[in-house]
Amino acid sequence: MRIFMTGASGWIGSAVVPELIDAGHQVVGLARSDASAAALTAARAEVVRGTVDDLGVLREAAAASDGVIHLAFKHDIAFTGDFRGAAEADRRAVDAFGDALAGTDRPLVVASGTGGVTPGRVATERDMPTLDGSPISLRAATARAVLALAPRGVRSSVVRLSPTCHGEGDQGFMATLVAIARAKGVSGYLGDGANRWPAVHRLDAARLFRQAVEKAPAGSVLHGVAEEGVAIRDIAEVIGRHLDVPVTSVAPQAAAEHFTWLSAFLGHDSPASSSLTRELLDWQPTQPGLLEDLDKGHYFDAPATTG
């Protein structure tokens, strides 16, 4: 298959590209910078220059492909105060892909998240988050729009990723927690720290995207979840041990000052299951779990940015 990808040089995408190519597929990646283009070329992918705002480029590239994997999201503006703007741009891109692929029965695989689907209980692929008009729910609405493309002749699927896709080189939530603990001199968690986050290794997530574009039925919701829920306190304890700093609870009223932008997410209790995904696609995670990965030490090799 000739597969067009957005976000192909990003954290997850840079693992998906070799996963696809090694399986015999051709990859065409969207690149918004010279550095991204060079990375894609080095990874044996073709390059299309543009951004997710270039809807004409997206339609043309999708129409010329055998399938699309959409991983790009404007995290740079989402995590600096404009999540709504990032979500709205994401919806426009998905609509463009839908228009290009309608009536072709070609696959469209779009990344989303498990966070907030069913707070406080284990979310399954059958659960749908409440749409309340908030910026966060805008992304959930986009996921529903992807699934609604199935009756239009698109083999659409949504991969809800765990909030942390960990692995060597990660600069996301885990790296940020490490950086905060290093800067503050304590490894913190909110409240009693019993709230849980699902987790998946980026290489397992990459394999799921390949399997989704190859064979996920139209209208599928898939969960990129290797571990249903890892307690934030357990994460803090591993970080504290590696940095040799105390592990302590942070009061809710001090969360924003201590954890900065991460405070909006850290208190969520959002466990999730992937049982249906594993059964549907025979997807079996094989990489280390989150705590084991943290214990390997690579998150602590050099100071990471707090964003």
Side-chain angles (χ1 to χ4, degrees), residues 210-296:
R210 174 180 61 78
Q211 291 178 282
V213 79
E214 288 176 343
K215 60 184 180 181
S220 299
V221 175
L222 308 168
H223 276 188
V225 172
E227 296 174 281
E228 286 192 358
V230 182
I232 298 299
R233 183 180 58 240
D234 292 342
I235 295 169
E237 287 174 351
V238 175
I239 292 173
R241 174 159 44 81
H242 277 269
L243 294 180
D244 195 22
V245 298
V247 180
T248 186
S249 174
V250 175
Q253 60 267 29
E257 188 278 330
H258 187 93
F259 294 109
T260 64
W261 64 267
L262 192 56
S263 63
F265 304 92
L266 195 61
H268 292 179
D269 184 41
S270 300
S273 166
S274 60
S275 295
L276 298 178
T277 298
R278 297 180 194 222
E279 180 180 351
L280 182 66
L281 298 182
D282 192 27
W283 176 67
Q284 297 298 329
T286 60
Q287 298 297 319
L290 175 56
L291 298 183
E292 181 184 352
D293 200 14
L294 283 169
D295 256 335
K296 288 179 178 293

Side-chain angles (χ1 to χ4, degrees), residues 193-217:
N195 58 300
R196 300 152 293 174
W197 276 11
V200 67
H201 195 283
R202 70 189 284 256
L203 298 181
D204 286 323
R207 183 155 33 85
L208 178 57
F209 277 101
R210 174 180 61 78
Q211 291 178 282
V213 79
E214 288 176 343
K215 60 184 180 181

Side-chain angles (χ1 to χ4, degrees), residues 115-203:
V117 174
T118 55
R121 70 170 178 84
V122 177
T124 76
E125 294 87 338
R126 293 193 179 100
D127 290 312
M128 289 293 171
T130 300
L131 303 183
D132 58 9
S134 67
I136 295 293
S137 75
L138 290 177
R139 198 171 189 193
T142 296
R144 290 198 187 188
V146 173
L147 302 178
L149 291 170
R152 294 180 57 195
V154 180
R155 183 161 63 81
S156 59
S157 60
V158 172
V159 176
R160 292 177 183 159
L161 288 167
S162 300
T164 179
C165 295
H166 56 90
E168 189 164 1
D170 176 20
Q171 289 297 310
F173 287 151
M174 289 303 106
T176 300
L177 277 176
V178 170
I180 291 170
R182 182 180 276 118
K184 299 289 186 178
V186 298
S187 180
Y189 53 86
L190 287 177
D192 64 4
N195 58 300
R196 300 152 293 174
W197 276 11
V200 67
H201 195 283
R202 70 189 284 256
L203 298 181

Side-chain angles (χ1 to χ4, degrees), residues 33-180:
S33 69
D34 291 342
S36 293
L40 289 173
T41 299
R44 299 173 291 157
E46 297 178 37
V47 175
V48 170
R49 294 301 294 260
T51 74
V52 291
D53 293 319
D54 296 324
L55 302 184
V57 172
L58 300 187
R59 291 190 192 95
E60 183 177 348
S65 74
D66 298 312
V68 175
I69 297 177
H70 175 48
L71 296 174
F73 190 75
K74 292 185 171 183
H75 291 100
D76 52 342
I77 68 170
F79 293 149
T80 54
D82 191 16
F83 195 97
R84 179 176 295 275
E88 289 173 347
D90 189 49
R91 176 59 180 269
R92 289 191 294 269
V94 163
D95 288 344
F97 290 137
D99 290 342
L101 296 176
T104 67
D105 292 321
R106 296 174 188 168
L108 169 62
V109 184
V110 175
S112 189
T114 63
V117 174
T118 55
R121 70 170 178 84
V122 177
T124 76
E125 294 87 338
R126 293 193 179 100
D127 290 312
M128 289 293 171
T130 300
L131 303 183
D132 58 9
S134 67
I136 295 293
S137 75
L138 290 177
R139 198 171 189 193
T142 296
R144 290 198 187 188
V146 173
L147 302 178
L149 291 170
R152 294 180 57 195
V154 180
R155 183 161 63 81
S156 59
S157 60
V158 172
V159 176
R160 292 177 183 159
L161 288 167
S162 300
T164 179
C165 295
H166 56 90
E168 189 164 1
D170 176 20
Q171 289 297 310
F173 287 151
M174 289 303 106
T176 300
L177 277 176
V178 170
I180 291 170

